[in-house]
Amino acid sequence: FLHAETESIANSEFNLQGDYLLGGLFDIHYASVAHYRNIPEAVICSSNPFTLSSYRRFQMMRFSIEEINNSTSLLPNVTLGYEIFDHCSDTKNFPGIFSLMSVVGSIQPWKESVNFSKVIAVVGTYTSTATLTVAPLFMKDLVPLISYGAASSVFSRKKNFPSFLRTVHPNKDVIKMIFEILQRFKWTWVTFLYADDDYGRDGYDLFVKMIRNTEICLGYSKGLNTDTDYPKMFKQIIDFRVNVIIVFTAEWTAEAVINSAIQQNVTKKVWIAADAWSLHKELPKKTGIRNIGTVLGVAEPKTTIPGFSDFIYSFKAQNQCENPEQDPFCNQMCNCSSLSAEDIITADPSFNFPVYSAVYAVAHALHAVLQCGAGSCNKSIKVYPHMVLHELRRSSFTLLNQTVQFDDNGDPKFGSVAIVFWNSSGNAEEVGFFSFYPTFKFFISSSKIKWHGDEKVPESVCSQACPEGFAKIQEGIHTCCFSCTICPNGTYINSTEDPYNCINCKETEWSTEGSTSCTIRLLEYIPFTDTAAVVIMVGALVLVALTVVMSVLFALNYNTPVVRSAGGPMCFLILGCLSLCSLSVFFYFGEPTETYCTLRFLPFLLFYTVCLACFVVRSFQIVCIFKISAKFPKLLSYWTKYHGHWLIITVAFFIQALLLITGYSIAPPKPYSDTFWYSDIIVLGCDLDLNLKATSSSFILLSVLCFLSFMFSYMGKNLPKNYNEAKTITFCLLLLILTWITFATVSMLYHGKYIHAMNALAILSSLYSFLLWYFFPKCYIIIFQPKKNTQQHFQGL
C-alpha cells in the first residue's frame, strides 16, 4: 500500500518535483465521525464532505512554492518541490505521514534510527487534535512542523514539541482578544461554548484562567460534539439569562450551533466567533441569521496575497485535476473539477497568510542553510531537517510589510488579530484590531457595529450594578450575581478595592448612610472667648473677690458673736478653700492638655474636701453642744481638749491628698476625644479613670463628707427656733446635692461640648451655695443689723 507512493503522478495538484521537498497536510475533506467497520477497508478522503476554505489554503501552499521557485533573490537556482496529503481525519492518515518521513516509502523500525526523512519540513496541520496526532512522529528526528492553524497552548512546550513552530496566534492571544471585547462593552455574564476536543478544551481552560479574579463570570459552558442536544442547551442559556455567547469551535461545529440557534428561534444574543469560523462565507448570508442577534468575531486579518488570483485562474485554465486512470496515493484525490476559480478565490480567506508565511519561513531557512548569495546556492551542502529547524528559530524577514519572527516557544512574533462584525450585507466587516507586536494595541469602532434591537450596546449581566454607596452581597457561586445593601452611617464603600464590604471610617472621620468616602470630624471644645466661658469665668472671679471681701469683713469683726458662731478661724479656712476651688473652673475651657486636665479636677477635689470637712465639724459641734453634751459630757471635754475639729479636717485633707497623689501617679487625667455620641464631631474633654480605686475613692470621700454634714445638720432641725446655723448648713447642702443631681441628669441627655461648661457651672454653683447661703447672711447682719451682732442678742436666743 505504501509502495504506491513511489509512482509519480503526472499533473497532480498534490505532487511537485524539486531539489528539496516540503510536506503539506491539509484537511480538504473532513471526516467528523470515526467509521467503525467489521473488515479493513481502504480510506478514501474524497468520500467525506469537501471543505472549500481548506482547499483554498492548500492552493496557497502550491502558489507560495511556485512564487519562490520563480524568485531570483530567494533560493536562486534551487527549486522546491512538495508532496501534499489530504489530512481528512486524524485517525486515517498515517500512510501519508509515514511517506513523508521515509526515503523509499517503507518503514524499518528495528534498525538503528537515522535521519532519512525525505522532506526538509512539513507545513500543517490545521487543527490542534490532528497536530497532536502527527507531531510526535516528526519531533523524534527534529523535522520542522510548521502549523498554520493549531492554536492549542500545549505546542508551546518545547520539551514535548522541540521542532514545532506555528504561524498562527496561539489560543492565549485569541482568548485575550475576546476578554478585551467583553471588558470594552462591559459584558460580565457570558456563555462559553467550545468544541470538545484539544483545541476547544484548551480555549476553555485559558478563558477560565483569564476571567479569574475579574468582574466577568461564566454563567454557562458546554463542550460540543456530535451528540450535543442543542435545543436543551439553548433552553438552559435562556433560563440563565445570558446574552453573550462565545463559540470557540471549528467551522463545522459552529455551523451546527448557528443553524440550531436559527431553528430554535434564539434571539437578541451577541455571538462572539472564534477565529476558526469568524470569516465563514455562507453563515452570514443564511436565512434568519439576523434574528439570532449580533455576531462579532476575532479573525486573522484579510491579507491580500498579490498574484494568488492570477495563479488560480491559470491553474483552472489548465484543468489540472486528477487523472482517474492513474492510481494515486491514498489521500491525494480532490474531485475538484467542478470548482471554478471564483469559488476558490472568494472562499473563506482565514489562515491563508499563515500558510503563505510558513512556506516562506522554510524557504528563508533553507536559503540560510545553503549559504545562498547573489544568484547561487551551495548545493553541495547536505541538508538535514534539524539544520532547517535551527535557521527557522532564527527567522527574521519581511513578508508583505510584516517582519516574520518566532519566539522561544515557536509562536509567531508578528501579525495582529482583526475584530469583525457580520453586517446586514452578509459580509464580515472589519471594525477593529488587536496588535501584539511590537507593542500591544487594541482598537474597536463601536459606531460601525449595528446592534440588534434598539441599536444600543446590549447588556449581559447577572445583576445590575449597585447604586453608589451600596455594597454587594454575593448570591450563589458567581460573583456577578448579587443583591445590594446600603452602607450604614460611619462606613463607606470603595467599589474599586472591595465592592462587597462596607469599610468602617476612622475614629477621626464620619460618614452618612450610603457614602463612598469619609469626612474628617470637626474638633469641638469651648474656647476662652466663648460667651458661656466668659460668663462662668467672670462668675469665678466675682466669687474670689467676694471671698476676699468677706475675709476682710470677718477679720475686722473677728470677736463678734456672728463671726465666732460661724466658726471663728474656720471661716477663713473655708473662704480660702472656696477661692482655691474656683481655680478648677478656668481649666474647663480651651483645648485640653494633660496639665489642663490635672488642674481641672485637682483643686476642686482637694480643697472642696476641706470645705466639706469644715461643715461636718460645724454640724457635729452644733449637735454636740445642744444634744450630745448633756448625755455625754466627757465627749465635749475630749473634743475641746484635743481640738477634735482641727484633727478631723486635717485627717480628711491628708487622706484626700494621698488618694489624689496615688491616683494621678498611676493614671493621671488625660485629654480624650469623645467619638461615640456624635458621628460628625469629636468633643474634646478630659478622661478620669474612675475604675482606679484611688481615683474613685476621692469622690467617695467627698460623698461621705457631704452625707455626714447633711446628717449632723439635719439632726439639728429641732434646735431652738431662732437658732438658724444648722438649718443654714442643711439648706446649703440641699442646694449642693440638687446642683449635682441636675448636672448628672443633663450629662445623660446631652454630650456636646457645652457639657464641660455645665460641669464648670456646677462647680461654681457648689461654691456659691456656701458663699451666698452660709456666709452672706452673716455679712448682712454685720453690716446692716449690728444690733443682732451682740452678746446680749445671742444670749437671748
Side-chain angles (χ1 to χ4, degrees):
F1 187 64
L2 291 173
H3 185 68
E5 182 271 335
T6 58
E7 298 181 11
S8 175
I9 304 173
N11 299 325
S12 172
E13 298 173 81
F14 293 88
N15 301 84
L16 179 69
Q17 297 296 320
D19 296 328
Y20 298 95
L21 196 64
L22 270 69
L25 297 172
F26 293 85
D27 50 350
I28 301 174
H29 298 85
Y30 174 67
S32 59
V33 182
H35 298 282
Y36 297 96
R37 307 179 188 277
N38 294 325
I39 58 175
E41 295 182 19
V43 176
I44 302 176
C45 280
S46 58
S47 64
N48 290 302
F50 184 80
T51 307
L52 184 57
S53 58
S54 191
Y55 183 67
R56 191 182 197 274
R57 294 188 280 268
F58 163 73
Q59 294 299 337
M60 182 59 68
M61 179 174 176
R62 297 182 62 243
F63 163 74
S64 302
I65 291 178
E66 180 175 300
E67 189 176 60
I68 293 169
N69 288 338
N70 293 331
S71 172
T72 57
S73 58
L74 181 62
L75 292 176
N77 200 32
V78 172
T79 58
L80 292 179
Y82 58 77
E83 184 162 4
I84 305 174
F85 291 91
D86 180 5
H87 196 84
C88 64
S89 170
D90 58 343
T91 59
K92 300 180 180 180
N93 298 281
F94 287 104
I97 304 301
F98 294 151
S99 174
L100 293 177
M101 295 174 61
S102 62
V103 174
V104 295
S106 62
I107 301 298
Q108 302 176 8
W110 294 281
K111 291 189 177 182
E112 183 179 353
S113 177
V114 180
N115 190 345
F116 282 141
S117 173
K118 66 181 179 182
V119 295
I120 59 173
V122 178
V123 176
T125 61
Y126 176 54
T127 67
S128 295
T129 298
T131 305
L132 279 171
T133 304
V134 303
L137 299 174
F138 295 106
M139 298 301 107
K140 177 179 178 296
D141 294 325
L142 295 180
V143 177
L145 179 64
I146 310 175
S147 176
Y148 54 86
S152 177
S153 301
V154 70
F155 297 116
S156 297
R157 303 173 188 168
K158 292 301 99 181
K159 182 178 179 180
N160 303 100
F161 301 95
S163 63
F164 179 88
L165 300 96
R166 53 183 158 196
T167 52
V168 65
H169 287 286
N171 279 342
K172 66 180 180 65
D173 292 342
V174 178
I175 292 299
K176 173 67 174 176
M177 184 67 164
I178 293 173
F179 176 76
E180 291 292 338
I181 294 174
L182 296 179
Q183 285 198 317
R184 170 65 175 79
F185 296 111
K186 299 179 180 179
W187 292 325
T188 60
W189 190 234
V190 300
T191 286
F192 195 93
L193 304 180
Y194 58 96
D196 193 13
D197 57 18
D198 300 282
Y199 164 74
R201 287 189 293 270
D202 180 66
Y204 171 76
D205 292 339
L206 289 170
F207 183 74
V208 170
K209 292 178 182 178
M210 179 71 70
I211 66 173
R212 188 174 297 157
N213 300 323
T214 69
E215 294 181 353
I216 298 173
C217 296
L218 187 57
Y220 182 82
S221 61
K222 180 73 174 177
L224 307 177
N225 52 44
T226 55
D227 298 325
T228 299
D229 187 345
Y230 288 107
K232 180 181 178 181
M233 181 189 75
F234 284 120
K235 182 180 183 303
Q236 291 173 328
I237 293 174
I238 294 171
D239 290 342
F240 281 115
R241 298 180 289 109
V242 186
N243 293 329
V244 173
I245 303 174
I246 302 165
V247 184
F248 199 84
T249 69
E251 55 186 304
W252 41 84
T253 307
E255 290 174 2
V257 173
I258 298 301
N259 289 332
S260 179
I262 295 173
Q263 293 173 5
Q264 299 300 317
N265 195 28
V266 178
T267 60
K268 298 181 180 180
K269 304 294 182 186
V270 175
W271 303 79
I272 299 180
D275 54 349
W277 64 280
S278 56
L279 298 182
H280 202 289
K281 288 296 182 179
E282 289 77 26
L283 282 179
K285 298 178 175 64
K286 193 171 184 63
T287 303
I289 192 67
R290 304 276 82 81
N291 297 333
I292 68 172
T294 304
V295 180
L296 301 176
V298 295
E300 292 287 332
K302 299 176 184 177
T303 304
T304 301
I305 311 294
F308 178 67
S309 297
D310 295 336
F311 170 79
I312 296 300
Y313 281 117
S314 173
F315 157 68
K316 294 305 292 182
Q318 296 173 15
N319 193 26
Q320 290 186 349
C321 286
E322 296 83 51
N323 185 349
E325 296 179 358
Q326 295 176 336
D327 185 19
F329 191 84
C330 62
N331 296 1
Q332 288 186 321
M333 295 181 63
C334 177
N335 294 338
C336 62
S337 57
S338 62
L339 293 176
S340 67
E342 287 75 13
D343 292 333
I344 301 172
I345 294 170
T346 59
D348 179 0
S350 300
F351 305 98
N352 279 248
F353 183 75
V355 173
Y356 188 65
S357 57
V359 175
Y360 264 89
V362 174
H364 277 276
L366 182 61
H367 186 93
V369 171
L370 294 176
Q371 302 174 0
C372 297
S376 66
C377 296
N378 186 358
K379 291 185 178 181
S380 63
I381 298 175
K382 185 172 180 59
V383 178
Y384 289 95
H386 69 86
M387 300 165 64
V388 178
L389 174 64
H390 177 71
E391 295 298 335
L392 274 170
R393 291 170 176 169
R394 301 168 56 189
S395 292
S396 181
F397 61 92
T398 301
L399 185 66
L400 300 183
N401 298 322
Q402 294 194 54
T403 302
V404 177
Q405 291 178 313
F406 300 95
D407 63 16
D408 294 338
N409 297 324
D411 296 331
K413 291 176 62 177
F414 61 92
S416 60
V417 179
I419 305 172
V420 297
F421 158 66
W422 288 8
N423 59 28
S424 57
S425 302
N427 297 316
E429 178 184 354
E430 190 167 324
V431 295
F433 68 88
F434 192 93
S435 176
F436 301 96
Y437 304 100
T439 58
F440 172 85
K441 293 180 181 177
F442 172 70
F443 170 77
I444 187 168
S445 177
S446 301
S447 60
K448 291 184 178 180
I449 304 173
K450 305 301 179 184
W451 303 102
H452 60 270
D454 55 6
E455 295 195 352
K456 292 182 180 179
V457 178
E459 288 187 346
S460 186
V461 295
C462 182
S463 300
Q464 292 295 331
C466 290
E468 193 175 71
F470 283 72
K472 297 177 181 179
I473 301 177
Q474 184 172 330
E475 296 179 345
I477 61 173
H478 295 292
T479 57
C480 298
C481 302
F482 51 82
S483 57
C484 301
T485 179
I486 193 167
C487 288
N489 294 332
T491 66
Y492 71 99
I493 185 72
N494 187 333
S495 300
T496 303
E497 293 183 1
D498 185 3
Y500 294 94
N501 294 294
C502 297
I503 305 170
N504 291 322
C505 294
K506 298 177 182 177
E507 285 195 357
T508 57
E509 298 174 336
W510 71 283
S511 68
T512 57
E513 187 178 64
S515 295
T516 56
S517 63
C518 294
T519 305
I520 299 296
R521 291 188 181 189
L522 295 176
L523 296 178
E524 285 203 347
Y525 58 89
I526 305 175
F528 287 102
T529 56
D530 189 89
T531 302
V534 171
V535 171
I536 293 172
M537 287 188 294
V538 168
L541 292 173
V542 170
L543 184 138
V544 173
L546 288 176
T547 57
V548 172
V549 170
M550 288 182 182
S551 297
V552 172
L553 183 62
F554 277 34
L556 295 175
N557 298 274
Y558 182 75
N559 293 317
T560 61
V562 170
V563 176
R564 296 184 66 83
S565 66
M570 197 179 295
C571 292
F572 299 102
L573 179 60
I574 295 172
L575 289 171
C577 287
L578 290 177
S579 297
L580 293 173
C581 285
S582 65
L583 291 174
S584 294
V585 172
F586 295 93
F587 297 98
Y588 277 86
F589 311 112
E591 186 173 356
T593 63
E594 289 190 7
T595 302
Y596 269 44
C597 290
T598 299
L599 295 176
R600 180 177 291 191
F601 300 109
L602 182 62
F604 178 73
L605 292 174
L606 182 60
F607 297 110
Y608 207 70
T609 299
V610 176
C611 292
L612 287 177
C614 290
F615 283 107
V616 168
V617 170
R618 286 296 299 137
S619 302
F620 178 75
Q621 284 178 328
I622 293 170
V623 173
C624 183
I625 292 170
F626 284 95
K627 291 188 176 182
I628 300 178
S629 62
K631 296 181 180 180
F632 305 100
K634 289 185 178 181
L635 181 61
L636 181 58
S637 63
Y638 284 124
W639 178 269
T640 305
K641 179 180 179 180
Y642 294 105
H643 304 288
H645 52 298
W646 294 116
L647 183 61
I648 290 176
I649 293 170
T650 303
V651 169
F653 173 78
F654 279 107
I655 290 176
Q656 185 67 291
L658 181 62
L659 291 173
L660 290 173
I661 291 172
T662 303
Y664 280 28
S665 299
I666 297 173
K670 294 180 180 179
Y672 87 103
S673 301
D674 187 354
T675 60
F676 179 76
W677 296 103
Y678 298 98
S679 60
D680 56 340
I681 62 174
I682 299 175
V683 180
L684 299 182
C686 292
D687 181 29
L688 194 61
D689 189 3
L690 295 178
N691 293 323
L692 191 65
K693 289 185 178 181
T695 304
S696 59
S697 297
S698 297
F699 289 91
I700 293 173
L701 179 60
L702 278 177
S703 302
V704 169
L705 291 175
C706 182
F707 172 74
L708 291 175
S709 180
F710 182 80
M711 183 184 68
F712 289 137
S713 63
Y714 186 76
M715 288 172 60
K717 67 177 182 176
N718 296 324
L719 294 177
K721 185 177 181 180
N722 292 329
Y723 194 85
N724 296 322
E725 195 76 21
K727 294 178 182 178
T728 303
I729 295 174
T730 303
F731 182 71
C732 291
L733 292 172
L734 282 174
L735 287 178
L736 175 65
I737 294 171
L738 181 62
T739 296
W740 289 102
I741 289 175
T742 303
F743 173 72
T745 303
V746 172
S747 64
M748 288 189 291
L749 302 175
Y750 173 71
H751 302 88
K753 65 178 182 179
Y754 284 105
I755 194 65
H756 303 299
M758 293 176 185
N759 197 346
L761 186 62
I763 291 174
L764 199 60
S765 176
S766 301
L767 303 179
Y768 269 107
S769 64
F770 288 122
L771 188 69
L772 295 180
W773 303 109
Y774 185 79
F775 290 102
F776 187 76
K778 295 169 175 51
C779 294
Y780 180 81
I781 292 173
I782 293 172
I783 297 172
F784 298 105
Q785 294 180 345
K787 293 181 180 180
K788 294 183 179 181
N789 191 16
T790 61
Q791 192 72 23
Q792 293 81 3
H793 178 74
F794 270 79
Q795 287 178 347
L797 296 175

